[in-house]
Amino acid sequence: MGDIPPKIQPTLASTAAARSEAPRAALRGTVSPIAARDTERHATSLALMEKVVERANCQTALKRVLANKGSPGIDGMTVKELSGCLKTHWPAIKERLLTGTYQPQPVQRVEIPKPGGGMRSLGIPTALDRFIQQAILHVLQPEWDSSFSDASYGFRPGRSAHQAVARAQEYIAAGYEWVVDIDLEKFFDRVNHDKLMGRVAKRVADKRLLKLIRAFLNAGAMENGLVSLTDTGTPQGGPLSPLLSNLVLDELDRELERRGHRFVRYADDCNIYVKSERAGQRVMASIVRFIEKKLKLKVNWEKSAVAQPGKRKFLGFSFTREERPRRRIAPQAIARFKANVRALTQRTRGTSVEQTAKRLTAYLDGWKQYFGFCETPSVLERLDTWIRRRLRAKIWKQWKQGTTRFAELRKRGIGKDLAAQTAGSCHGPWRLSNSPALAIGLPNAFFDSLGLIRLAKVYGATRRTAVYGPVRTVV
């Protein structure tokens, strides 16, 4: 099953890695006017496969795959073993690629939870297949990307979700105060292979490469030890899937441009901005017909709607209802954030506050890099307050006995009477975490000294470090 013996077959990465497969350096022509885009790209060189297997291209692809790490595919080989595999077997692999006889292996099917509920199906290729897909991506993406819509932001070099959100904000500020929010149901699982390959063939003349891309689409998926054939879909988890998905949805972009709509698309998340609810309902009905009849895709009506932007979320953000709308974090994103923080700060865990702060900081740092793009700092300040209150409650719980609590408060400069009153209180940890004694004894500066980052900007005095001693954990 595949071209390489099982012992030397590689593995792939997880979803987050797959989403970052596209080269990050901005490419020439990434942003192009509609008028400059070809209606249909002419098929490119007959010798594309030679470009795919070029030494420099393969070295770049290998570095990307190694950097993204990830999980093994069906052969069990880790990404670290890929270099050794290629050193031994690359001449044979290269020959099969050039002769059009290379056969990819099935992907490993796994299910992961979606942030908003439900499960997402991933297809994890072997490391070797992932490496080959990455090499193909590096050849095709610079050629294709310049022809994609200026309103498309997902999985493209030099483009980001933040840019997509800012573009949406511009439309709302310009008076387009209703959004046609379209969600495609199981998009990656429903892509029609024949339609997709037809579009690829208009851009690629090398029949060996066409055959290989078709082979990746039809490689099948293994789940619970059984391999099932795949005649639709582009498995999420492979480096080529984002580029192929943009190619499929480029047809939707062209139609929206032809109709003169103001829209923003990030992967399969498309928002169209109009000036009235009536116009939105008309656009929704018309575009849904195009998507289902022309593209052969299905709209998820539970997640699609015509509404004011403040009542919808786009890439985790929403917008305030003001003359100049501001970016705010969507309520659903805040709910997920709080659920994750609660899991990291459980009072029943035996971890020290130092360990908890370290783990929490790792999560907060990534979250802040994305959602710090909001324009409502008061929300971040409230979240900071809530996080530190949870940590105070955790510490109070760990101190357990009244005598220990009294002694710890006294060590932190709390007066005898207030320390005794707080230590002897019948209230629970959460109630007392907001008490004057704990606010004074465990101030924000204490958590700063543990390296816990703040979501909101800190003004005024610099942080105090190494002022407080370790918090005693009573087991």
Side-chain angles (χ1 to χ4, degrees):
M1 185 190 300
D3 283 82
I4 305 303
K7 290 184 180 178
I8 50 110
Q9 302 254 4
T11 54
L12 163 76
S14 62
T15 238
R19 289 180 180 172
S20 61
E21 296 287 358
R24 288 178 174 80
L27 301 175
R28 288 179 305 178
T30 295
V31 180
S32 56
I34 297 171
R37 294 172 58 212
D38 295 333
T39 335
E40 288 294 350
R41 266 294 165 120
H42 296 297
T44 51
S45 170
L46 291 169
L48 278 179
M49 191 61 80
E50 279 72 16
K51 293 183 180 180
V52 170
V53 301
E54 276 181 359
R55 182 179 180 83
N57 184 58
C58 289
Q59 286 176 334
T60 304
L62 179 60
K63 286 179 182 178
R64 180 55 56 84
V65 172
L66 293 176
N68 285 326
K69 302 178 182 179
S71 305
I74 66 169
D75 55 14
M77 180 182 277
T78 64
V79 172
K80 291 181 180 179
E81 298 173 282
L82 177 58
S83 296
C85 167
L86 293 174
K87 284 180 182 178
T88 304
H89 299 277
W90 177 242
I93 298 168
K94 179 179 178 180
E95 179 64 22
R96 282 192 284 271
L97 289 171
L98 291 173
T99 57
T101 58
Y102 181 85
Q103 181 58 46
Q105 294 193 83
V107 298
Q108 178 70 56
R109 182 77 71 194
V110 295
E111 301 284 333
I112 64 169
K114 289 183 178 181
M119 302 297 289
R120 174 180 285 114
S121 179
L122 294 183
I124 303 179
T126 65
L128 178 59
D129 286 342
R130 185 177 177 191
F131 160 73
I132 293 171
Q133 286 193 38
Q134 189 71 48
I136 296 171
L137 179 69
H138 281 290
V139 170
L140 295 183
Q141 186 156 49
E143 177 69 24
W144 293 9
D145 194 80
S146 61
S147 71
F148 289 153
S149 171
D150 185 38
S152 167
Y153 289 87
F155 310 123
R156 296 182 62 188
R159 287 174 166 251
S160 69
H162 285 172
Q163 291 173 338
V165 172
R167 182 76 169 269
Q169 185 179 13
E170 290 174 6
Y171 288 142
I172 299 167
Y176 296 85
E177 298 178 346
W178 287 83
V179 60
V180 180
D181 187 355
I182 298 176
D183 183 86
L184 300 179
E185 185 176 295
K186 296 183 177 179
F187 166 71
F188 286 91
D189 296 332
R190 295 181 182 274
V191 172
N192 183 284
H193 286 180
D194 291 335
K195 282 186 66 66
L196 171 57
M197 289 308 302
R199 295 191 68 81
V200 174
K202 291 177 180 178
R203 295 168 179 254
V204 174
D206 192 324
K207 292 185 178 180
R208 296 165 300 176
L209 188 52
L210 289 172
K211 181 181 178 182
L212 182 57
I213 294 174
R214 169 75 81 165
F216 277 120
L217 293 173
N218 294 339
M222 178 177 284
E223 191 171 9
N224 299 323
L226 298 176
V227 176
S228 58
L229 299 178
T230 50
D231 53 7
T232 59
T234 59
Q236 292 189 73
L240 265 180
S241 289
L243 180 63
L244 296 177
S245 70
N246 272 333
L247 183 60
V248 171
L249 292 175
D250 185 59
E251 191 170 354
L252 173 61
D253 296 341
R254 291 180 188 276
E255 180 65 16
L256 293 173
E257 288 175 348
R258 187 185 68 80
R259 299 183 185 192
H261 289 309
R262 289 153 181 82
F263 71 99
V264 183
R265 183 177 65 77
Y266 192 96
D268 57 343
D269 198 347
C270 182
N271 279 6
I272 307 167
Y273 293 89
V274 296
K275 289 194 171 182
S276 69
E277 182 178 12
R278 182 177 178 182
Q281 295 293 353
R282 184 174 64 251
V283 170
M284 172 70 86
S286 176
I287 294 302
V288 166
R289 282 197 302 269
F290 177 83
I291 290 172
E292 296 189 341
K293 292 184 179 180
K294 182 73 173 178
L295 302 185
K296 307 299 181 186
L297 297 171
K298 189 173 178 60
V299 172
N300 185 341
W301 284 106
E302 291 184 2
K303 297 182 179 180
S304 301
V306 175
Q308 293 178 317
K311 297 180 180 179
R312 304 295 295 175
K313 68 179 178 70
F314 181 52
L315 303 176
F317 291 92
S318 186
F319 303 93
T320 60
R321 294 189 63 184
E322 299 170 323
E323 184 175 351
R324 182 197 172 277
R326 291 177 294 151
R327 299 183 295 271
R328 65 184 180 92
I329 305 170
Q332 301 92 321
I334 291 178
R336 288 196 298 270
F337 170 81
K338 286 191 169 184
N340 289 330
V341 171
R342 286 190 184 99
L344 289 168
T345 58
Q346 286 180 355
R347 293 194 285 275
T348 54
R349 281 190 174 185
T351 54
S352 68
V353 68
E354 290 84 4
Q355 290 174 313
T356 301
K358 185 176 181 181
R359 294 174 183 173
L360 196 53
T361 291
Y363 172 69
L364 295 179
D365 187 44
W367 193 88
K368 180 181 179 179
Q369 285 185 35
Y370 186 77
F371 286 103
F373 188 60
C374 75
E375 297 176 309
T376 50
S378 60
V379 174
L380 300 180
E381 291 168 2
R382 287 196 295 271
L383 290 175
D384 275 332
T385 300
W386 176 76
I387 290 168
R388 281 146 185 79
R389 185 176 175 185
R390 283 197 60 84
L391 289 173
R392 292 187 184 102
K394 179 181 176 68
I395 293 169
W396 188 253
K397 177 79 172 179
Q398 289 181 336
W399 284 345
K400 291 187 177 180
Q401 302 299 323
T403 53
T404 303
R405 291 169 172 173
F406 177 79
E408 293 290 343
L409 290 175
R410 291 290 289 147
K411 278 197 304 186
R412 286 161 174 75
I414 306 303
K416 186 176 180 180
D417 290 343
L418 180 58
Q421 179 185 354
T422 307
S425 173
C426 62
H427 295 303
W430 181 247
R431 175 79 173 267
L432 290 174
S433 65
N434 204 33
S435 66
L438 286 185
I440 297 169
L442 297 172
N444 289 341
F446 164 72
F447 297 109
D448 292 343
S449 73
L450 297 179
L452 184 67
I453 66 171
R454 301 196 193 190
L455 300 176
K457 290 182 179 179
V458 181
Y459 300 98
T462 57
R463 291 185 179 185
R464 296 168 60 187
T465 58
V467 174
Y468 300 90
V471 172
R472 180 184 174 192
T473 301
V474 181
V475 180

